[in-house]
Amino acid sequence: MATPLTDQEKRKQISIRGIVGVENVAELKKGFNRHLHFTLVKDRNIATPRDYYFALAHTVRDHLVGRWIRTQQFYYEADPKRVYYLSLEFYMGRTLQNTMINLGLQNACDEAIYQLGLDMEELEEMEEDAGLGNGGLGRLAACFLDSMATLGLAAYGYGIRYEYGIFNQKIRDGWQVEEADDWLRHGNPWEKARPEYMLPVHFYGRVEETRGGSKWVDTQVVLAMPYDTPIPGYMNNTVNTMRLWSARAPNDFNLRDFNVGDYIQAVLDRNLAENISRVLYPNDNFFEGKELRLKQEYFVVAATLQDIIRRFKTTKKGSPGRTSFESFPEKVAIQLNDTHPAMAIPELMRIFVDIEKLDWDTAWELTRRTFAYTNHTVLPEALERWPVALLEKLLPRHLQIIYRINQVHLDMIASLYPKDMDKLRKMSLIEEDGCKRVNMAHLCIVGSHAVNGVAEIHSNIIKTDVFRNFSELEPEKFQNKTNGITPRRWLLLCNPGLAELIAEVIGEDYVKDLSQLKKLNDFVDNAALIRDISKVKQDNKMKFAQYLEKEYRVKINPSSMFDVHVKRIHEYKRQLLNCLHIVAMYNRIRKNPTAPFVPRTVIIGGKAAPGYHMAKMIIRLITSVADVVNNDPVVGNKLKVIFLENYRVSLAEKVIPATDLSEQISTAGTEASGTGNMKFMLNGALTIGTMDGANVEMAEEAGEENMFIFGMRVEEVAEMDKKGYDAMSYYKRIPELKYVMDQITSGFFSPTNPDLFKDLTDMLFKHDRFKVFADFEDYMKCQEKASQLYQNPKEWTKMVIKNIAATGKFSSDRTITEYATEVWGVKPTDLKIPPPNEPREAIEETARALKKM
């Protein structure tokens, strides 16, 4: 059996938090004081903690700038194929600590701030989350940016700089209340506005047919102003760019035409144009066909494609700019993060055909070879289907192009399947039933060379069910790319104790190659490691318990099992199933207060879309149950229920390292992948879950016996859909379920309003698409097994180690390596770009080395 590293070997290693050199620390202190004085115009007498945060942020940013400029010079020299990740959401969270870690500055900054008599953690807490996303899809985009930079890809994230991100959630009297997220109020030290690259975006107007082809005329113009944020790779001197567009009215807005008299009103009306980038739509897995949202989708696409083409045409000084588009797919890869940026397909066709005057077939060939599409959900209510009438008004030329794409597509299908009208109808980009709509997923499939799901089970469902006709037509187009998470944020940053412990046992290379965690399997029975892992978890729980007491004034028992269910509130994620289990546990304690009970703190958190009534009622039920349970003296500290307010990236970083049991309990076949499941696993929690999404692959990697798997499998759900789901039969058959439901129905948890939860209970009995009762019994038994194991800390921790050792697959580095090689046609590299203190020639040398690879 392998042995952990000796103290001497450990001393040889640089801590994964970076080196502390005396010069380094002195320089950081100097930079800090300089920014406090010159940037913030404050002295130590009147500076606030926020001033200190900004001074530190600017100091750390100074260390990015040289590398950022160097990286862009390097791409200019080497002219690699560029990857463009288009997403309406980038859920970045905070930037300061992540930047310090990726630049290897964390220890030096800690020391500098300590010497300045300040508290690093207090400063970090001043930073606002960049909440430009709803949940999984937006956070995935953020993890991908980190991995693309770490793997040395010439990659760019393109999206919208929303003035207001995902709303702040307040709980008042048990209800969710939304507040605007004014995240830019104090300014954002990480972005750089680039007004010199401002670009026009057109809306409305009409199409004129001329001898030279179609012309889109009489449009309204909105300007897109880019804001660039640096994306540092981990310790490789690469700093990529995330470019977010903000909407600006042109200076002659509303002043050119008939508005001659009312100058004041014309200036006030500039807001109408600038509303495009005002606010993130707060829907997760739900399509709301609003004109403003379609404007946002086209806005990001139109600005981004102009930028991509400008960069494609600009080549090294001395060599002529590119004039032919022949090589476009060899130099450009565009990934569509769901269908939200699908208008990029007709927009690129419009540019190629109308502006660059390519013939249709050539343009279509180039377009298809450029785009790839990631599908994120199979829920029918989430699929984007835009009314033809709206497109005709807002983007008339694009509608024409979509019709032509569809015509060519349907002609091809008709030639392969003559007389099969049903297949034509099912595969058309245009849905004709009732209101004519464009099916954006179909547009993405037809206009891309690769289509992928985000976990094996999800990719299979896409191929055999949702898009079956398309995958039968072009099976080679359909792939799987199981999601991943960045181990920099989701281990080093949020759980430094565990990260250091792992480095002491297996070395620190795992940070860039997470598959090395499997070396931990050699230490599963190592008493010292079992003790240390358990100690790290206990420390994290104590810290989080203190946070909860401070924020919620709830005293919690840190030796209780922390049972955590955090994600967006949605019926398919089945927070209700968890809630029924809580009530059942409560009833057991009340029925037999002296019986042994494994203490639990159940923590549920997540936001409900403001217009999603059922999700808001689920929150109301959880808060009502919490009120009753937490105030019942019979229960004492055996069971506590906490609804975690305003769950967001920075709060995930606190709760995930403190979790014992991770709840991943969606109905099989509904959660495309999930990524929270991976974060918990990496941070030493055990999973209770269904065989859904990436849980399936987690069980494959760790062994099903090392997870608490329960519930129907996909096939059984399908079987039940065929024969019909009868909720009442479970209610009648399972006494514990009946008792719980009767309590909710009778108003036990809402005595002043016994009918409060009628909509919820009606849904559960009469039209529950997600079959909560069907999995109740198995869930209860599985929870029992978890409690049993928790009573044996040594065996529990051994299982934890086996789980951590099995998380290697779930690094976003692995996911991005697969996209790079199997979709984008680029190669990850561990070439280190020369740092800013080396001469420019070093860049040219590295560029030559890259070209040879």
Side-chain angles (χ1 to χ4, degrees), residues 16-75:
I16 47 183
R17 293 162 74 92
I19 316 166
V20 186
V22 181
E23 322 77 25
N24 225 345
V25 173
E27 190 202 343
L28 287 165
K29 284 162 70 178
K30 206 168 116 187
F32 179 92
N33 287 322
R34 186 170 51 83
H35 278 296
L36 193 61
H37 187 80
F38 288 104
T39 311
L40 295 155
V41 197
K42 290 279 182 94
D43 64 32
R44 290 290 301 257
N45 299 313
I46 58 160
T48 63
R50 177 167 285 108
D51 293 319
Y52 292 135
Y53 156 69
F54 274 105
L56 177 58
H58 279 106
T59 307
V60 171
R61 181 177 165 278
D62 289 346
H63 287 258
L64 272 172
V65 170
R67 293 175 172 96
W68 197 5
I69 292 169
R70 267 293 158 106
T71 301
Q72 303 315 310
Q73 287 173 346
F74 174 64
Y75 293 155

Side-chain angles (χ1 to χ4, degrees), residues 86 158 199 245 300-310 328 334 343-349 351 370-371:
L86 263 62
Y158 273 95
L199 294 167
W245 301 101
V300 65
V301 149
T304 300
L305 282 172
Q306 290 179 73
D307 221 27
I308 290 173
I309 285 167
R310 173 189 58 76
F328 194 77
I334 304 177
M343 290 305 294
I345 292 168
E347 172 67 3
L348 187 59
M349 284 299 287
I351 294 169
T370 300
F371 286 111

